[in-house]
Amino acid sequence: MKRISLYLIGLLLLPSLLFTSCDRGDDIVDSESTPAFTLLKNHMTANGLDIDNIDTNADGEKFVVGAPAAADLDAFLAKYTIIDIRSNTDFMANHIQGAKNVAFADILTEAAASTKPVLVVCYTGQTACYATALMRLYGYSHTRALKWGMSGWNPATAGPWNNNIGNAADGHSNWSFSNAPTTEVFSDPVISSFSTDGAQILKDRVEQVVADGFKTVSGADVLATPSNYFINNYFSEADYLGFGHIDGAYRILPLTLADNTYLGLDPSSNAKVVSYCYTGQTSAVLTACLRVLGYDAYSLTFGMNGMFNSNQAFTSNQWGGDSNPKNLPLVN
């Protein structure tokens, strides 16, 4: 009788044990397995998908390409499948000849249908760069973003950049010219996956980050309370000091998996990792990569141009200085 009772108890407990084991969703599949982050990292470094390879692919193509000279327009249009991820209203008002209006959520599907390299177009180049990084991570290594977005194509579509340059950092109490703080060493991020295949983990992570949309924070918010963020300035040391920087900003550059410099970033759930650059375009690429890797990462919109456009240290990538819209044709 006792054996029968124990048998019945075991049967009753079995579903509970099964559901418990299937609902873990933590960084490892079982106590013996390799952490999902490690599987992901190993796959990316072994297959040319480290952060620096997303920035510049194996053929030396940067993630951005500038609008062409008028004489080169036909060749430029013929080279790419152009997807415009702006709103349908703005797309219908004016767009590049041959471009297709595509929702951000559908970028991976659209890339799979293309027989040519994809050029992603948005308002300022920032969301397009975020999309480009995710598409490169997904296997579409020749994807590029239109630098400066439609703002750089024609004066009629330049409003998004013209209206968002600013100088809030000039004289701000949280703008500093001090040396960068000493880089710390943190642990790896924790990501959830039941897969033991690095390629599958990457695929799932990219799809999730696409579904979540572009994650950004404004320069004004970070300037107001820099202590609320883990800030990484993506400038050279000379520019970090010459331009000045947000108080407390680190300068972790290069930032790659292979050399473990990524360990300088705080992976904890209460650390909002903010990257910023000159235009918000490189920081968008970094942010896409970091979110795939499990960081709570954000791109500072409009970069230095949004915070301190008049800064005398600018020699390139200054909107309204060396960078202005071209006068290329639009269709509607």
Side-chain angles (χ1 to χ4, degrees):
M1 189 70 177
K2 185 180 291 185
R3 287 183 180 179
I4 294 173
S5 298
L6 290 173
Y7 178 74
L8 290 172
I9 291 170
L11 287 176
L12 289 170
L13 288 174
L14 182 59
S16 175
L17 291 170
L18 287 173
F19 282 121
T20 301
S21 66
C22 290
D23 193 37
R24 293 176 60 190
D26 53 14
D27 187 55
I28 57 176
V29 178
D30 59 55
S31 59
E32 301 287 327
S33 65
T34 303
F37 175 84
T38 303
L39 295 170
L40 175 61
K41 173 186 173 181
N42 291 346
H43 172 76
M44 289 174 63
T45 54
N47 290 276
L49 295 171
D50 205 340
I51 297 171
D52 56 338
N53 302 129
I54 302 306
D55 179 282
T56 304
N57 68 18
D59 292 324
E61 296 172 333
K62 286 281 291 181
F63 62 90
V64 289
V65 58
D72 300 324
L73 179 60
D74 289 344
F76 184 88
L77 297 178
K79 180 177 180 178
Y80 297 103
T81 293
I82 302 174
I83 63 172
D84 187 326
I85 57 175
R86 296 177 301 154
S87 73
N88 182 255
T89 299
D90 290 333
F91 177 83
M92 294 303 294
N94 41 49
H95 56 266
I96 299 170
Q97 181 180 346
K100 181 179 180 181
N101 193 210
V102 175
F104 180 88
D106 296 330
I107 56 175
L108 300 177
T109 302
E110 199 62 37
S114 176
T115 58
K116 297 189 290 187
V118 174
L119 179 72
V120 189
V121 177
C122 67
Y123 296 95
T124 64
Q126 296 173 92
T127 308
C129 285
Y130 192 75
T132 292
L134 294 170
M135 293 162 77
R136 286 187 168 198
L137 284 166
Y138 208 69
Y140 304 112
S141 63
H142 293 287
T143 302
R144 304 182 84 175
L146 181 65
K147 187 172 183 178
W148 303 110
M150 289 301 291
S151 292
W153 192 264
N154 187 287
T157 49
W161 262 110
N162 291 340
N163 298 332
N164 283 287
I165 58 175
N167 291 291
D170 190 5
H172 197 287
S173 60
N174 287 327
W175 193 253
S176 173
F177 291 87
S178 63
N179 291 323
T182 302
T183 302
E184 302 178 58
V185 178
F186 295 94
S187 59
D188 287 340
V190 175
I191 59 175
S192 297
S193 178
F194 292 108
S195 177
T196 58
D197 177 57
Q200 184 62 49
I201 295 170
L202 176 60
K203 181 177 184 292
D204 294 342
R205 293 293 304 165
V206 172
E207 290 172 357
Q208 184 60 59
V209 174
V210 169
D212 291 342
F214 189 17
K215 299 297 182 179
T216 65
V217 64
S218 73
D221 287 345
V222 180
L223 274 169
T225 53
S227 60
N228 287 352
Y229 306 92
F230 185 97
I231 308 165
N232 188 34
N233 172 298
Y234 211 67
F235 290 177
S236 66
E237 184 175 8
D239 283 352
Y240 181 91
L241 297 173
F243 277 90
H245 50 270
I246 300 170
D247 188 41
Y250 290 86
R251 197 189 71 80
I252 304 168
L253 189 164
L255 180 62
T256 64
L257 297 170
D259 66 0
N260 288 327
T261 48
Y262 75 94
L263 291 172
L265 302 176
D266 187 350
S268 59
S269 59
N270 62 347
K272 289 188 173 182
V273 177
V274 175
S275 301
Y276 78 93
C277 62
Y278 304 96
T279 68
Q281 295 172 109
T282 299
S283 64
V285 171
L286 295 173
T287 299
C289 293
L290 293 178
R291 292 197 74 85
V292 167
L293 290 167
Y295 291 93
D296 186 21
Y298 300 81
S299 179
L300 190 148
T301 52
F302 301 98
M304 179 60 69
N305 277 281
M307 292 187 295
F308 204 158
N309 176 259
S310 67
N311 196 304
Q312 295 300 304
F314 260 118
T315 58
S316 63
N317 291 313
Q318 181 185 28
W319 186 256
D322 70 307
S323 301
N324 291 281
K326 295 187 178 178
N327 195 18
L328 294 168
L330 296 166
V331 297
N332 51 35

